[in-house]
Structures are given as structure tokens and as C-alpha cells.
Tab-separated table of all heavy atoms in Angstrom:
chain	number	residue	atom	x	y	z
G	1461	MET	N	-10.753	-11.936	16.118
G	1461	MET	CA	-10.040	-11.037	15.237
G	1461	MET	C	-9.648	-9.780	16.009
G	1461	MET	O	-10.399	-9.303	16.844
G	1461	MET	CB	-10.898	-10.631	14.051
G	1461	MET	CG	-11.116	-11.709	13.048
G	1461	MET	SD	-9.663	-11.987	12.085
G	1461	MET	CE	-10.330	-12.181	10.492
G	1462	ALA	N	-8.492	-9.283	15.678
G	1462	ALA	CA	-8.013	-8.043	16.289
G	1462	ALA	C	-7.620	-7.077	15.171
G	1462	ALA	O	-7.285	-7.481	14.068
G	1462	ALA	CB	-6.821	-8.319	17.188
G	1463	ARG	N	-7.665	-5.805	15.479
G	1463	ARG	CA	-7.299	-4.745	14.532
G	1463	ARG	C	-5.812	-4.456	14.689
G	1463	ARG	O	-5.324	-4.247	15.797
G	1463	ARG	CB	-8.117	-3.488	14.821
G	1463	ARG	CG	-7.974	-2.423	13.798
G	1463	ARG	CD	-8.789	-2.811	12.605
G	1463	ARG	NE	-8.731	-1.786	11.579
G	1463	ARG	CZ	-9.121	-2.016	10.351
G	1463	ARG	NH1	-9.595	-3.182	10.015
G	1463	ARG	NH2	-9.063	-1.084	9.456
G	1464	TYR	N	-5.085	-4.468	13.579
G	1464	TYR	CA	-3.650	-4.190	13.567
G	1464	TYR	C	-3.388	-2.995	12.669
G	1464	TYR	O	-4.093	-2.774	11.688
G	1464	TYR	CB	-2.876	-5.398	13.021
G	1464	TYR	CG	-2.887	-6.561	13.969
G	1464	TYR	CD1	-3.952	-7.445	13.991
G	1464	TYR	CD2	-1.841	-6.770	14.861
G	1464	TYR	CE1	-3.978	-8.516	14.880
G	1464	TYR	CE2	-1.854	-7.833	15.745
G	1464	TYR	CZ	-2.921	-8.692	15.747
G	1464	TYR	OH	-2.942	-9.738	16.632
G	1465	ARG	N	-2.355	-2.240	13.026
G	1465	ARG	CA	-1.922	-1.159	12.144
G	1465	ARG	C	-0.426	-1.322	11.898
G	1465	ARG	O	0.311	-1.837	12.733
G	1465	ARG	CB	-2.270	0.214	12.701
G	1465	ARG	CG	-1.523	0.649	13.924
G	1465	ARG	CD	-1.991	2.024	14.355
G	1465	ARG	NE	-1.225	2.508	15.500
G	1465	ARG	CZ	-1.419	3.675	16.068
G	1465	ARG	NH1	-2.376	4.476	15.617
G	1465	ARG	NH2	-0.680	4.063	17.089
G	1466	PHE	N	-0.020	-0.869	10.719
G	1466	PHE	CA	1.335	-1.066	10.235
G	1466	PHE	C	1.964	0.305	10.003
G	1466	PHE	O	1.388	1.134	9.306
G	1466	PHE	CB	1.296	-1.897	8.952
G	1466	PHE	CG	0.583	-3.206	9.178
G	1466	PHE	CD1	-0.783	-3.313	8.997
G	1466	PHE	CD2	1.286	-4.314	9.617
G	1466	PHE	CE1	-1.444	-4.495	9.234
G	1466	PHE	CE2	0.633	-5.509	9.862
G	1466	PHE	CZ	-0.735	-5.610	9.671
G	1467	LEU	N	3.121	0.524	10.634
G	1467	LEU	CA	3.751	1.843	10.613
G	1467	LEU	C	5.080	1.809	9.867
G	1467	LEU	O	5.788	0.793	9.883
G	1467	LEU	CB	3.989	2.325	12.048
G	1467	LEU	CG	2.734	2.645	12.853
G	1467	LEU	CD1	2.116	1.394	13.430
G	1467	LEU	CD2	3.039	3.616	13.941
G	1468	ASP	N	5.421	2.945	9.255
G	1468	ASP	CA	6.710	3.081	8.579
G	1468	ASP	C	7.758	3.573	9.572
G	1468	ASP	O	7.489	3.698	10.777
G	1468	ASP	CB	6.600	4.001	7.362
G	1468	ASP	CG	6.255	5.439	7.708
G	1468	ASP	OD1	6.324	5.827	8.897
G	1468	ASP	OD2	5.918	6.193	6.779
G	1469	GLY	N	8.951	3.853	9.092
G	1469	GLY	CA	10.044	4.279	9.937
G	1469	GLY	C	9.815	5.598	10.645
G	1469	GLY	O	10.433	5.882	11.675
G	1470	MET	N	8.921	6.426	10.135
G	1470	MET	CA	8.609	7.720	10.752
G	1470	MET	C	7.445	7.613	11.744
G	1470	MET	O	7.069	8.587	12.374
G	1470	MET	CB	8.271	8.754	9.673
G	1470	MET	CG	9.419	9.049	8.726
G	1470	MET	SD	10.837	9.789	9.546
G	1470	MET	CE	10.164	11.361	10.006
G	1471	GLY	N	6.856	6.432	11.841
G	1471	GLY	CA	5.729	6.236	12.748
G	1471	GLY	C	4.389	6.550	12.130
G	1471	GLY	O	3.378	6.576	12.836
G	1472	ASP	N	4.372	6.774	10.820
G	1472	ASP	CA	3.111	7.044	10.125
G	1472	ASP	C	2.404	5.730	9.799
G	1472	ASP	O	3.040	4.752	9.378
G	1472	ASP	CB	3.363	7.818	8.833
G	1472	ASP	CG	3.926	9.206	9.093
G	1472	ASP	OD1	3.558	9.813	10.114
G	1472	ASP	OD2	4.737	9.678	8.271
G	1473	VAL	N	1.089	5.709	9.967
G	1473	VAL	CA	0.298	4.519	9.671
G	1473	VAL	C	0.220	4.331	8.166
G	1473	VAL	O	-0.181	5.225	7.430
G	1473	VAL	CB	-1.111	4.633	10.292
G	1473	VAL	CG1	-1.960	3.433	9.907
G	1473	VAL	CG2	-1.024	4.779	11.799
G	1474	MET	N	0.598	3.135	7.732
G	1474	MET	CA	0.576	2.788	6.311
G	1474	MET	C	-0.686	2.016	5.932
G	1474	MET	O	-1.152	2.101	4.806
G	1474	MET	CB	1.805	1.940	5.973
G	1474	MET	CG	3.113	2.646	6.289
G	1474	MET	SD	4.524	1.525	6.304
G	1474	MET	CE	4.530	0.898	4.653
G	1475	ASP	N	-1.215	1.248	6.899
G	1475	ASP	CA	-2.379	0.409	6.626
G	1475	ASP	C	-2.949	-0.077	7.957
G	1475	ASP	O	-2.239	-0.091	8.961
G	1475	ASP	CB	-1.973	-0.792	5.769
G	1475	ASP	CG	-3.152	-1.462	5.087
G	1475	ASP	OD1	-4.290	-1.014	5.262
G	1475	ASP	OD2	-2.936	-2.451	4.361
G	1476	GLU	N	-4.210	-0.461	7.943
G	1476	GLU	CA	-4.874	-1.102	9.085
G	1476	GLU	C	-5.671	-2.266	8.551
G	1476	GLU	O	-6.350	-2.140	7.531
G	1476	GLU	CB	-5.812	-0.129	9.809
G	1476	GLU	CG	-5.126	0.883	10.666
G	1476	GLU	CD	-6.099	1.672	11.537
G	1476	GLU	OE1	-7.175	1.142	11.891
G	1476	GLU	OE2	-5.762	2.824	11.857
G	1477	ARG	N	-5.586	-3.402	9.254
G	1477	ARG	CA	-6.300	-4.612	8.834
G	1477	ARG	C	-6.627	-5.460	10.056
G	1477	ARG	O	-5.999	-5.339	11.085
G	1477	ARG	CB	-5.440	-5.470	7.900
G	1477	ARG	CG	-5.141	-4.822	6.583
G	1477	ARG	CD	-4.137	-5.639	5.801
G	1477	ARG	NE	-3.837	-4.955	4.557
G	1477	ARG	CZ	-4.077	-5.450	3.359
G	1477	ARG	NH1	-4.591	-6.650	3.228
G	1477	ARG	NH2	-3.788	-4.759	2.278
G	1478	ASP	N	-7.575	-6.375	9.886
G	1478	ASP	CA	-7.913	-7.340	10.927
G	1478	ASP	C	-7.199	-8.654	10.653
G	1478	ASP	O	-7.149	-9.114	9.504
G	1478	ASP	CB	-9.421	-7.581	10.961
G	1478	ASP	CG	-10.189	-6.358	11.400
G	1478	ASP	OD1	-9.684	-5.623	12.271
G	1478	ASP	OD2	-11.298	-6.130	10.886
G	1479	PHE	N	-6.649	-9.255	11.720
G	1479	PHE	CA	-5.996	-10.554	11.635
G	1479	PHE	C	-6.405	-11.373	12.848
G	1479	PHE	O	-6.723	-10.818	13.909
G	1479	PHE	CB	-4.465	-10.394	11.625
G	1479	PHE	CG	-3.921	-9.868	10.328
G	1479	PHE	CD1	-3.703	-8.512	10.150
G	1479	PHE	CD2	-3.625	-10.721	9.271
G	1479	PHE	CE1	-3.205	-8.014	8.966
G	1479	PHE	CE2	-3.125	-10.232	8.086
G	1479	PHE	CZ	-2.913	-8.881	7.921
G	1480	PRO	N	-6.346	-12.711	12.743
G	1480	PRO	CA	-6.755	-13.560	13.864
G	1480	PRO	C	-5.763	-13.546	15.029
G	1480	PRO	O	-6.151	-13.816	16.167
G	1480	PRO	CB	-6.865	-14.953	13.255
G	1480	PRO	CG	-6.023	-14.906	12.026
G	1480	PRO	CD	-6.057	-13.482	11.549
G	1481	ASP	N	-4.484	-13.247	14.744
G	1481	ASP	CA	-3.484	-13.252	15.821
G	1481	ASP	C	-2.233	-12.479	15.398
G	1481	ASP	O	-2.104	-12.077	14.245
G	1481	ASP	CB	-3.126	-14.673	16.243
G	1481	ASP	CG	-2.633	-15.532	15.082
G	1481	ASP	OD1	-1.970	-15.013	14.166
G	1481	ASP	OD2	-2.906	-16.739	15.098
G	1482	HIS	N	-1.320	-12.301	16.372
G	1482	HIS	CA	-0.087	-11.554	16.115
G	1482	HIS	C	0.746	-12.208	15.016
G	1482	HIS	O	1.302	-11.525	14.155
G	1482	HIS	CB	0.770	-11.461	17.364
G	1482	HIS	CG	0.216	-10.603	18.462
G	1482	HIS	ND1	-0.873	-9.785	18.329
G	1482	HIS	CD2	0.638	-10.449	19.729
G	1482	HIS	CE1	-1.107	-9.163	19.469
G	1482	HIS	NE2	-0.202	-9.545	20.341
G	1483	ALA	N	0.846	-13.527	15.057
G	1483	ALA	CA	1.678	-14.237	14.086
G	1483	ALA	C	1.234	-13.949	12.651
G	1483	ALA	O	2.064	-13.722	11.764
G	1483	ALA	CB	1.669	-15.735	14.365
G	1484	ALA	N	-0.054	-13.952	12.408
G	1484	ALA	CA	-0.570	-13.690	11.061
G	1484	ALA	C	-0.290	-12.247	10.640
G	1484	ALA	O	0.094	-11.991	9.487
G	1484	ALA	CB	-2.069	-13.978	11.007
G	1485	ALA	N	-0.462	-11.309	11.553
G	1485	ALA	CA	-0.207	-9.899	11.233
G	1485	ALA	C	1.277	-9.653	10.959
G	1485	ALA	O	1.632	-8.955	10.005
G	1485	ALA	CB	-0.679	-9.005	12.378
G	1486	LEU	N	2.145	-10.242	11.782
G	1486	LEU	CA	3.585	-10.070	11.584
G	1486	LEU	C	4.046	-10.739	10.287
G	1486	LEU	O	4.889	-10.200	9.572
G	1486	LEU	CB	4.349	-10.621	12.783
G	1486	LEU	CG	4.148	-9.840	14.081
G	1486	LEU	CD1	4.733	-10.608	15.256
G	1486	LEU	CD2	4.736	-8.446	13.992
G	1487	ALA	N	3.487	-11.892	9.966
G	1487	ALA	CA	3.838	-12.570	8.714
G	1487	ALA	C	3.428	-11.721	7.517
G	1487	ALA	O	4.184	-11.590	6.547
G	1487	ALA	CB	3.174	-13.945	8.652
G	1488	TRP	N	2.240	-11.131	7.565
G	1488	TRP	CA	1.800	-10.266	6.474
G	1488	TRP	C	2.742	-9.073	6.334
G	1488	TRP	O	3.124	-8.700	5.222
G	1488	TRP	CB	0.370	-9.779	6.699
G	1488	TRP	CG	-0.118	-8.920	5.583
G	1488	TRP	CD1	-0.690	-9.344	4.417
G	1488	TRP	CD2	-0.045	-7.489	5.495
G	1488	TRP	NE1	-0.978	-8.258	3.620
G	1488	TRP	CE2	-0.591	-7.108	4.248
G	1488	TRP	CE3	0.426	-6.500	6.334
G	1488	TRP	CZ2	-0.682	-5.785	3.856
G	1488	TRP	CZ3	0.342	-5.174	5.938
G	1488	TRP	CH2	-0.203	-4.829	4.711
G	1489	ALA	N	3.130	-8.473	7.449
G	1489	ALA	CA	4.013	-7.303	7.422
G	1489	ALA	C	5.363	-7.633	6.798
G	1489	ALA	O	5.943	-6.826	6.079
G	1489	ALA	CB	4.204	-6.755	8.834
G	1490	ARG	N	5.876	-8.827	7.067
G	1490	ARG	CA	7.165	-9.239	6.498
G	1490	ARG	C	7.067	-9.501	5.006
G	1490	ARG	O	8.004	-9.233	4.261
G	1490	ARG	CB	7.657	-10.511	7.189
G	1490	ARG	CG	8.316	-10.278	8.508
G	1490	ARG	CD	9.005	-11.534	9.004
G	1490	ARG	NE	8.087	-12.661	9.152
G	1490	ARG	CZ	7.376	-12.926	10.233
G	1490	ARG	NH1	7.458	-12.142	11.273
G	1490	ARG	NH2	6.581	-13.962	10.280
G	1491	ASP	N	5.932	-10.052	4.570
G	1491	ASP	CA	5.803	-10.533	3.200
G	1491	ASP	C	4.984	-9.643	2.280
G	1491	ASP	O	4.849	-9.944	1.101
G	1491	ASP	CB	5.182	-11.930	3.203
G	1491	ASP	CG	6.035	-12.929	3.954
G	1491	ASP	OD1	7.263	-12.741	4.021
G	1491	ASP	OD2	5.463	-13.894	4.487
G	1492	GLU	N	4.426	-8.550	2.806
G	1492	GLU	CA	3.531	-7.716	1.999
G	1492	GLU	C	4.271	-7.081	0.829
G	1492	GLU	O	5.432	-6.726	0.930
G	1492	GLU	CB	2.846	-6.654	2.859
G	1492	GLU	CG	3.787	-5.649	3.496
G	1492	GLU	CD	4.336	-4.602	2.559
G	1492	GLU	OE1	3.709	-4.275	1.562
G	1492	GLU	OE2	5.428	-4.130	2.840
G	1493	ASP	N	3.552	-6.980	-0.281
G	1493	ASP	CA	4.063	-6.321	-1.479
G	1493	ASP	C	3.167	-5.163	-1.888
G	1493	ASP	O	3.455	-4.482	-2.866
G	1493	ASP	CB	4.149	-7.310	-2.636
G	1493	ASP	CG	5.222	-8.366	-2.411
G	1493	ASP	OD1	6.244	-8.052	-1.769
G	1493	ASP	OD2	5.031	-9.508	-2.871
G	1494	GLU	N	2.074	-4.949	-1.151
G	1494	GLU	CA	1.088	-3.944	-1.511
G	1494	GLU	C	1.501	-2.527	-1.137
G	1494	GLU	O	1.021	-1.575	-1.727
G	1494	GLU	CB	-0.238	-4.248	-0.809
G	1494	GLU	CG	-0.813	-5.593	-1.126
G	1494	GLU	CD	-2.013	-5.913	-0.262
G	1494	GLU	OE1	-2.727	-4.980	0.144
G	1494	GLU	OE2	-2.230	-7.091	0.018
G	1495	LEU	N	2.369	-2.382	-0.144
G	1495	LEU	CA	2.721	-1.062	0.368
G	1495	LEU	C	3.978	-0.527	-0.307
G	1495	LEU	O	4.839	-1.296	-0.731
G	1495	LEU	CB	2.917	-1.122	1.888
G	1495	LEU	CG	1.720	-1.657	2.673
G	1495	LEU	CD1	2.067	-1.789	4.138
G	1495	LEU	CD2	0.511	-0.756	2.490
G	1496	ASP	N	4.086	0.795	-0.369
G	1496	ASP	CA	5.217	1.431	-1.024
G	1496	ASP	C	6.506	1.353	-0.210
G	1496	ASP	O	7.596	1.373	-0.755
G	1496	ASP	CB	4.903	2.906	-1.318
G	1496	ASP	CG	3.787	3.054	-2.332
G	1496	ASP	OD1	3.587	2.131	-3.141
G	1496	ASP	OD2	3.104	4.090	-2.300
G	1497	ASP	N	6.393	1.288	1.118
G	1497	ASP	CA	7.541	1.290	2.023
G	1497	ASP	C	7.537	0.019	2.863
G	1497	ASP	O	6.520	-0.663	2.966
G	1497	ASP	CB	7.451	2.492	2.971
G	1497	ASP	CG	8.605	3.448	2.818
G	1497	ASP	OD1	9.616	3.066	2.217
G	1497	ASP	OD2	8.489	4.574	3.308
G	1498	ASP	N	8.657	-0.285	3.503
G	1498	ASP	CA	8.724	-1.425	4.407
G	1498	ASP	C	8.048	-1.091	5.732
G	1498	ASP	O	8.172	0.014	6.243
G	1498	ASP	CB	10.177	-1.797	4.693
G	1498	ASP	CG	10.874	-2.424	3.497
G	1498	ASP	OD1	10.176	-2.958	2.617
G	1498	ASP	OD2	12.114	-2.380	3.448
G	1499	VAL	N	7.355	-2.062	6.284
G	1499	VAL	CA	6.739	-1.910	7.593
G	1499	VAL	C	7.842	-1.995	8.645
G	1499	VAL	O	8.665	-2.906	8.624
G	1499	VAL	CB	5.683	-3.011	7.843
G	1499	VAL	CG1	5.147	-2.948	9.258
G	1499	VAL	CG2	4.554	-2.897	6.828
G	1500	GLN	N	7.867	-1.038	9.565
G	1500	GLN	CA	8.869	-1.013	10.623
G	1500	GLN	C	8.304	-1.419	11.977
G	1500	GLN	O	9.048	-1.833	12.852
G	1500	GLN	CB	9.480	0.393	10.736
G	1500	GLN	CG	10.188	0.838	9.488
G	1500	GLN	CD	11.389	-0.037	9.158
G	1500	GLN	OE1	12.174	-0.372	10.024
G	1500	GLN	NE2	11.514	-0.398	7.906
G	1501	ARG	N	6.993	-1.284	12.147
G	1501	ARG	CA	6.365	-1.581	13.444
G	1501	ARG	C	4.931	-2.045	13.209
G	1501	ARG	O	4.226	-1.522	12.349
G	1501	ARG	CB	6.395	-0.339	14.323
G	1501	ARG	CG	5.842	-0.527	15.716
G	1501	ARG	CD	5.993	0.762	16.535
G	1501	ARG	NE	5.419	0.627	17.840
G	1501	ARG	CZ	6.079	0.255	18.931
G	1501	ARG	NH1	7.352	-0.036	18.856
G	1501	ARG	NH2	5.475	0.177	20.101
G	1502	VAL	N	4.505	-3.008	14.020
G	1502	VAL	CA	3.139	-3.511	13.971
G	1502	VAL	C	2.538	-3.334	15.364
G	1502	VAL	O	3.148	-3.705	16.365
G	1502	VAL	CB	3.095	-4.999	13.557
G	1502	VAL	CG1	1.662	-5.504	13.545
G	1502	VAL	CG2	3.746	-5.201	12.200
G	1503	GLU	N	1.356	-2.757	15.411
G	1503	GLU	CA	0.652	-2.548	16.671
G	1503	GLU	C	-0.761	-3.104	16.549
G	1503	GLU	O	-1.313	-3.187	15.461
G	1503	GLU	CB	0.572	-1.058	17.001
G	1503	GLU	CG	1.925	-0.400	17.175
G	1503	GLU	CD	1.852	1.092	17.413
G	1503	GLU	OE1	0.856	1.729	16.997
G	1503	GLU	OE2	2.800	1.610	18.008
G	1504	TYR	N	-1.329	-3.486	17.695
G	1504	TYR	CA	-2.717	-3.960	17.706
G	1504	TYR	C	-3.526	-3.122	18.681
G	1504	TYR	O	-2.989	-2.533	19.613
G	1504	TYR	CB	-2.802	-5.442	18.055
G	1504	TYR	CG	-2.444	-5.777	19.487
G	1504	TYR	CD1	-3.430	-5.958	20.431
G	1504	TYR	CD2	-1.115	-5.910	19.879
G	1504	TYR	CE1	-3.119	-6.260	21.747
G	1504	TYR	CE2	-0.793	-6.220	21.184
G	1504	TYR	CZ	-1.791	-6.395	22.113
G	1504	TYR	OH	-1.466	-6.686	23.416
G	1505	LEU	N	-4.817	-3.079	18.455
G	1505	LEU	CA	-5.721	-2.308	19.287
G	1505	LEU	C	-6.055	-3.134	20.526
G	1505	LEU	O	-6.678	-4.195	20.437
G	1505	LEU	CB	-6.987	-1.965	18.503
G	1505	LEU	CG	-7.927	-0.963	19.142
G	1505	LEU	CD1	-7.223	0.364	19.417
G	1505	LEU	CD2	-9.133	-0.723	18.246
G	1506	GLY	N	-5.584	-2.664	21.672
G	1506	GLY	CA	-5.784	-3.375	22.931
G	1506	GLY	C	-7.202	-3.259	23.448
G	1506	GLY	O	-8.010	-2.464	22.946
G	1507	PRO	N	-7.523	-4.022	24.485
G	1507	PRO	CA	-8.881	-4.043	25.028
G	1507	PRO	C	-9.325	-2.710	25.632
G	1507	PRO	O	-10.516	-2.463	25.777
G	1507	PRO	CB	-8.834	-5.146	26.100
G	1507	PRO	CG	-7.390	-5.298	26.433
G	1507	PRO	CD	-6.624	-4.922	25.201
G	1508	GLU	N	-8.380	-1.859	25.973
G	1508	GLU	CA	-8.718	-0.562	26.546
G	1508	GLU	C	-8.724	0.552	25.494
G	1508	GLU	O	-8.778	1.736	25.832
G	1508	GLU	CB	-7.738	-0.236	27.678
G	1508	GLU	CG	-7.842	-1.222	28.820
G	1508	GLU	CD	-6.795	-0.989	29.885
G	1508	GLU	OE1	-6.073	0.019	29.837
G	1508	GLU	OE2	-6.696	-1.851	30.782
G	1509	GLY	N	-8.644	0.163	24.216
G	1509	GLY	CA	-8.700	1.138	23.132
G	1509	GLY	C	-7.375	1.821	22.842
G	1509	GLY	O	-7.340	2.830	22.144
G	1510	ASP	N	-6.281	1.254	23.360
G	1510	ASP	CA	-4.954	1.825	23.106
G	1510	ASP	C	-4.167	0.906	22.175
G	1510	ASP	O	-4.401	-0.289	22.116
G	1510	ASP	CB	-4.192	2.018	24.426
G	1510	ASP	CG	-4.048	0.724	25.211
G	1510	ASP	OD1	-4.922	-0.164	25.085
G	1510	ASP	OD2	-3.063	0.579	25.946
G	1511	TRP	N	-3.245	1.491	21.409
G	1511	TRP	CA	-2.429	0.723	20.484
G	1511	TRP	C	-1.238	0.152	21.226
G	1511	TRP	O	-0.560	0.857	21.957
G	1511	TRP	CB	-1.971	1.592	19.318
G	1511	TRP	CG	-3.108	1.931	18.407
G	1511	TRP	CD1	-3.796	3.105	18.368
G	1511	TRP	CD2	-3.701	1.078	17.430
G	1511	TRP	NE1	-4.791	3.033	17.426
G	1511	TRP	CE2	-4.755	1.794	16.824
G	1511	TRP	CE3	-3.471	-0.223	17.007
G	1511	TRP	CZ2	-5.543	1.259	15.807
G	1511	TRP	CZ3	-4.257	-0.755	15.992
G	1511	TRP	CH2	-5.296	-0.015	15.409
G	1512	ARG	N	-0.974	-1.155	21.016
G	1512	ARG	CA	0.101	-1.863	21.703
G	1512	ARG	C	0.999	-2.567	20.687
G	1512	ARG	O	0.539	-3.002	19.642
G	1512	ARG	CB	-0.483	-2.912	22.654
G	1512	ARG	CG	-1.371	-2.282	23.709
G	1512	ARG	CD	-2.000	-3.310	24.565
G	1512	ARG	NE	-2.865	-2.670	25.556
G	1512	ARG	CZ	-3.301	-3.274	26.626
G	1512	ARG	NH1	-2.984	-4.540	26.853
G	1512	ARG	NH2	-4.059	-2.630	27.491
G	1513	TRP	N	2.264	-2.700	21.038
G	1513	TRP	CA	3.242	-3.344	20.176
G	1513	TRP	C	2.902	-4.824	20.006
G	1513	TRP	O	2.635	-5.521	20.982
G	1513	TRP	CB	4.618	-3.173	20.797
G	1513	TRP	CG	5.754	-3.692	19.996
G	1513	TRP	CD1	6.064	-3.371	18.709
G	1513	TRP	CD2	6.772	-4.604	20.420
G	1513	TRP	NE1	7.206	-4.010	18.308
G	1513	TRP	CE2	7.665	-4.789	19.353
G	1513	TRP	CE3	7.022	-5.265	21.602
G	1513	TRP	CZ2	8.762	-5.621	19.424
G	1513	TRP	CZ3	8.120	-6.095	21.685
G	1513	TRP	CH2	8.968	-6.265	20.596
G	1514	ALA	N	2.919	-5.312	18.762
G	1514	ALA	CA	2.544	-6.699	18.480
G	1514	ALA	C	3.734	-7.649	18.488
G	1514	ALA	O	3.548	-8.854	18.552
G	1514	ALA	CB	1.829	-6.777	17.135
G	1515	GLY	N	4.962	-7.138	18.413
G	1515	GLY	CA	6.127	-8.009	18.422
G	1515	GLY	C	7.140	-7.592	17.386
G	1515	GLY	O	6.869	-6.759	16.523
G	1516	ALA	N	8.294	-8.203	17.463
G	1516	ALA	CA	9.392	-7.848	16.570
G	1516	ALA	C	9.196	-8.444	15.180
G	1516	ALA	O	8.771	-9.582	15.031
G	1516	ALA	CB	10.709	-8.352	17.161
G	1517	LEU	N	9.525	-7.632	14.176
G	1517	LEU	CA	9.551	-8.112	12.797
G	1517	LEU	C	10.892	-8.789	12.564
G	1517	LEU	O	11.934	-8.243	12.915
G	1517	LEU	CB	9.391	-6.949	11.812
G	1517	LEU	CG	8.026	-6.310	11.761
G	1517	LEU	CD1	8.064	-5.062	10.917
G	1517	LEU	CD2	7.022	-7.289	11.185
G	1518	GLU	N	10.864	-9.950	11.989
G	1518	GLU	CA	12.095	-10.664	11.677
G	1518	GLU	C	12.382	-10.543	10.198
G	1518	GLU	O	11.476	-10.612	9.371
G	1518	GLU	CB	11.960	-12.141	12.067
G	1518	GLU	CG	11.709	-12.317	13.559
G	1518	GLU	CD	11.370	-13.755	13.910
G	1518	GLU	OE1	11.392	-14.612	13.025
G	1518	GLU	OE2	11.059	-13.994	15.084
G	1519	GLY	N	13.629	-10.342	9.852
G	1519	GLY	CA	14.034	-10.147	8.456
G	1519	GLY	C	13.979	-11.330	7.644
G	1519	GLY	O	13.450	-12.094	7.172
């Protein structure tokens, strides 16, 4: 499991959750209905404790 965070268009963190892989986190970001705004970026917590881009969101 890895820690993912979901950011809005301004770069503010909207939510943080654990997912087994990038695909699951990106799928949740595309399909989520729990958040007030659309997710614009997904990042994961890298092995060195830094946040890294998880991949492109597809419409």
C-alpha cells in the first residue's frame, strides 16, 4: 500500500488515502463523488518521504 494525496486546481490537498497502486488511486480520482471539487493532480509518497506525481488523469 502507498499513501496518495489528491489536489485541486490550486494545488491544495483535498484528501489523502492509501491505495495498492497508481491505477487504483487514479481510478478513484476520476470516479470520486465524495469531494466538492474535481481532482486535478494525484501524488504518492515516495520512498524518500517526498511527494511524486502518480500519472495523468484521463477524462
Side-chain angles (χ1 to χ4, degrees):
M1461 288 286 222
R1463 189 77 178 165
Y1464 290 84
R1465 69 180 183 179
F1466 304 89
L1467 292 81
D1468 65 13
M1470 297 297 293
D1472 295 326
V1473 176
M1474 302 165 61
D1475 198 0
E1476 284 190 28
R1477 294 172 182 242
D1478 293 324
F1479 286 94
D1481 56 34
H1482 291 351
L1486 293 169
W1488 181 85
R1490 279 191 301 272
D1491 299 333
E1492 63 75 27
D1493 292 328
E1494 302 172 30
L1495 304 175
D1496 294 335
D1497 242 344
D1498 289 337
V1499 174
Q1500 298 297 315
R1501 183 177 177 93
V1502 179
E1503 299 176 335
Y1504 69 98
L1505 190 58
E1508 297 175 8
D1510 57 331
W1511 289 101
R1512 300 176 181 196
W1513 184 55
L1517 289 171
E1518 299 171 3

